[in-house]
Amino acid sequence: MASSLAIAILAAGKGTRMRSSLPKVLHRLSGRTLVENVIASTALVNPTRKIAIVGYAADQVKETLATIPDLEFALQAEQLGTGHAVQQVMPVLEGFKGNLLVLNGDVPLLKPETIEQMLNTHNENGNAATILTAQMADPTGYGRVFCDDNLIVTEIVEHRDCTEAQRANTRINAGIYCFNWDALMTILPHLKADNDQQEYYLTDVIKDLSPVMAMDAPTSEIAGINNRKQLAEAEAVMQKRIKDELLLSGVTLINPESITIDATVTVEPDVVIEPQTNLRGTTIISAGCHIGPGSLIENSKIGPHTKAVHSVISDSEVAENGRIGPFAHIRGKASVGNDCRIGNFVEVKKSTIGNGTNAAHLSYLGDAELGEKVNVGAGTITVNYDGKNKHKTVVGDRTKTGANSCLVAPIIIAEDVTIGAGSVITKDVDADCLVFTRSPQKSIPGWKPKYLREA
Ligand code: UD1
Ligand code: CA
């Protein structure tokens, strides 16, 4: 029988060794908080309830994690141990039937397949509890798991509470458990803090439950994050996983070690990513794109067959066949249409750029709406800010702005307009006009006084 599953994530600790004002579980790994990484590891087991146990900086943790769908919170006001933490879930899960998966908020590298296998082991054997274990060459600091040849567990003893002989056991407790909720409820409320740390240990329930089974997992998956060195090591593991998966799915990564890609990014097949490129957040790179070298793309959607070289694109969209860069900056909900060129030292902010429009050199386009096939002359600037408010610039289809022209917003320039180079345009312009503001050119022959002439 498939029983319902709740997950509880231990996230109440401060994480002193991170030496950070940010609570440990909010530190980021490949673009997601540690907690989000932990939740991602349950992707194959469909939990019906998700509860984060928070304590240290609880308000900050809750606020940051508020966007995670269906996440509930249990407050552990004082951190009196892992058993005490899980006790705080009892009122939240009142009347619950099924299994409780307890996960550690600082163990972010677990694979969904491992969790699925653990749940299967638990259900197939009708276990009261199943615990994830690993064989560690150096088990110092971990709880030791004692079991027979069939992996039936008798007890878990914390490193500090172990005898010398018990410390020789290299099978460690990863801190990930699946409990039959009803069975756990018979023991959990009665924990005692009679150990070296005088904490309520979750591990103490094990000796009173039966059967409890251990399942060994790869040590690379159960690595915990206690300091920033371990965070950096975990980042390397996660990045390798993300990039290996992309490579096998048909994405070319040139010198992958120099590329970083968040776990939240989608890259379609037949994309080429060149060195020193960073893809972050909710970014989607469509098929046939060529990104990099040296580009940063954040929370943006890049349409098929677009090229972006040495450019920064954030919170924006570029449609098909874009030619972006070198050294372009597209940001702030900008939307660039099909077949556009946004070239050297062009900044586009919160603007809509129509299909086939080009801004090839040295421009600022802010709060603008450009039509189709507009040619933005080199050095064209939308003068959008009066010192207090931002104003809009509208440019019609096929209009050509002269080099070094300033379009002083708010302004509407209709279609098929040609703007003379160096103009400062302050009034709306009708369709089909040539418009310029320019002082007449003067030539003064023989202007040099005698003392400036060569002898
Ligand atoms: C725990 C296990 C140990 C295991 C190890 C694996 C116990 C008693 N020991 O030890 O067997 O080998 O994890 O990493 O469970 N937390 C709370 N509230 C508390 C205490 C802790 O939320 O009151 C959270 C911490 O923030 C952390 C997690 O629980 O995310 C584990 O706590 P920690 O103190 O690091 O446990 P360990 O001593 O490492
Ligand atoms: Ca501890």
Side-chain angles (χ1 to χ4, degrees):
M1 186 193 80
S3 51
S4 56
L5 178 72
I7 64 171
I9 302 168
L10 299 173
K14 175 171 191 263
T16 310
R17 286 166 288 172
M18 295 299 280
R19 296 179 181 270
S20 176
S21 59
L22 191 68
K24 175 158 77 176
V25 290
L26 297 186
H27 279 258
R28 287 182 176 269
L29 184 70
S30 293
R32 296 185 295 212
T33 60
L34 291 180
V35 172
E36 286 167 298
N37 278 281
V38 170
I39 291 176
S41 71
T42 66
L44 293 175
V45 294
N46 303 318
T48 52
R49 305 278 301 266
K50 289 179 269 185
I51 302 149
I53 303 158
V54 297
Y56 174 76
D59 290 339
Q60 189 186 357
V61 176
K62 279 160 102 169
E63 203 182 305
T64 309
L65 303 180
T67 52
I68 299 175
D70 308 322
L71 185 64
E72 302 169 65
F73 295 95
L75 181 68
Q76 186 194 22
E78 252 187 302
Q79 283 79 64
L80 304 177
T82 50
H84 180 255
V86 178
Q87 282 174 346
Q88 312 313 306
V89 172
M90 288 167 17
V92 183
L93 284 184
E94 181 94 66
F96 173 76
K97 291 277 173 231
N99 292 317
L100 177 71
L101 177 64
V102 176
L103 296 153
N104 237 308
D106 60 0
V107 179
L109 292 173
L110 277 168
K111 289 187 180 169
E113 294 78 9
T114 304
I115 297 288
E116 186 184 40
Q117 197 188 341
M118 180 185 177
L119 262 286
N120 288 343
T121 302
H122 181 81
N123 288 328
E124 282 160 17
N125 294 286
N127 292 342
T130 307
I131 64 174
L132 213 56
T133 52
Q135 292 287 353
M136 282 274 194
D138 177 13
T140 308
Y142 287 96
R144 304 299 204 283
V145 177
F146 295 88
C147 56
D148 68 15
D149 292 344
N150 298 317
L151 296 173
I152 300 295
V153 179
T154 47
E155 64 174 338
I156 302 176
V157 184
E158 289 308 292
H159 177 90
R160 60 202 306 154
D161 300 313
C162 277
T163 63
E164 215 40 58
Q166 285 174 319
R167 282 186 187 171
N169 178 1
T170 53
R171 179 172 276 117
I172 63 96
N173 170 26
I176 314 295
Y177 319 77
C178 184
F179 294 105
N180 174 291
W181 178 250
D182 281 341
L184 181 66
M185 277 312 92
T186 61
I187 315 293
L188 187 69
H190 312 296
L191 283 180
K192 291 196 177 67
D194 52 1
N195 50 59
D196 188 48
Q197 291 195 100
Q198 303 199 330
E199 285 185 1
Y200 297 92
Y201 285 172
L202 181 58
T203 44
D204 280 351
V205 303
I206 296 302
K207 60 182 183 306
D208 295 320
L209 291 173
S210 170
V212 178
M213 207 175 263
M215 188 186 107
D216 280 336
T219 50
S220 60
E221 287 187 44
I222 59 108
I225 310 294
N226 292 312
N227 55 45
R228 299 200 202 211
K229 183 165 177 284
Q230 289 168 332
L231 184 63
E233 286 160 0
E235 183 69 49
V237 172
M238 199 57 130
Q239 282 298 307
K240 179 136 177 38
R241 272 190 207 169
I242 291 167
K243 289 183 274 189
D244 282 353
E245 200 178 307
L246 286 176
L247 288 164
L248 295 175
S249 76
V251 174
T252 295
L253 304 176
I254 300 174
N255 188 7
E257 293 72 28
S258 76
I259 295 169
T260 68
I261 302 176
D262 280 355
T264 42
V265 168
T266 305
V267 186
E268 291 183 0
D270 270 331
V271 165
V272 176
I273 300 174
E274 293 223 40
Q276 309 290 351
T277 292
N278 308 286
L279 306 179
R280 296 188 186 156
T282 55
T283 291
I284 300 173
I285 310 289
S286 308
C289 282
H290 195 120
I291 308 294
S295 293
L296 166 63
I297 304 189
E298 266 181 316
N299 303 322
S300 294
K301 183 171 191 310
I302 310 299
H305 304 288
T306 289
K307 291 188 173 166
V309 182
H310 285 293
S311 290
V312 176
I313 303 174
S314 51
D315 307 310
S316 293
E317 287 191 24
V318 177
E320 288 188 36
N321 285 319
R323 282 166 299 151
I324 311 300
F327 310 109
H329 187 190
I330 298 174
R331 66 184 181 93
K333 298 207 169 77
S335 168
V336 176
N338 296 329
D339 306 301
C340 290
R341 176 157 175 221
I342 305 295
N344 313 256
F345 305 103
V346 174
E347 177 179 356
V348 180
K349 186 220 75 171
K350 205 178 175 189
S351 292
T352 310
I353 310 293
N355 296 337
T357 287
N358 291 335
H361 334 266
L362 303 160
S363 275
Y364 173 60
L365 303 171
D367 306 294
E369 200 181 297
L370 272 58
E372 300 195 353
K373 296 189 178 160
V374 172
N375 190 73
V376 177
T380 297
I381 306 290
T382 56
V383 184
N384 64 331
Y385 187 46
D386 60 14
K388 192 163 183 215
N389 297 308
K390 303 276 168 71
H391 300 283
K392 189 169 173 181
T393 300
V394 177
V395 179
D397 296 347
R398 296 172 302 281
T399 283
K400 294 178 171 47
T401 71
N404 254 6
S405 48
C406 292
L407 315 179
V408 182
I411 194 162
I412 300 175
I413 296 161
E415 58 274 11
D416 298 299
V417 167
T418 298
I419 299 175
S423 298
V424 177
I425 306 296
T426 54
K427 295 186 214 118
D428 291 357
V429 182
D430 290 337
D432 272 319
C433 288
L434 167 67
V435 59
F436 55 89
T437 62
R438 197 185 278 173
S439 34
Q441 183 169 326
K442 284 180 197 159
S443 294
I444 301 172
W447 70 280
K448 278 186 185 168
K450 219 173 183 178
Y451 76 93
L452 284 177
R453 293 178 199 246
E454 305 249 334

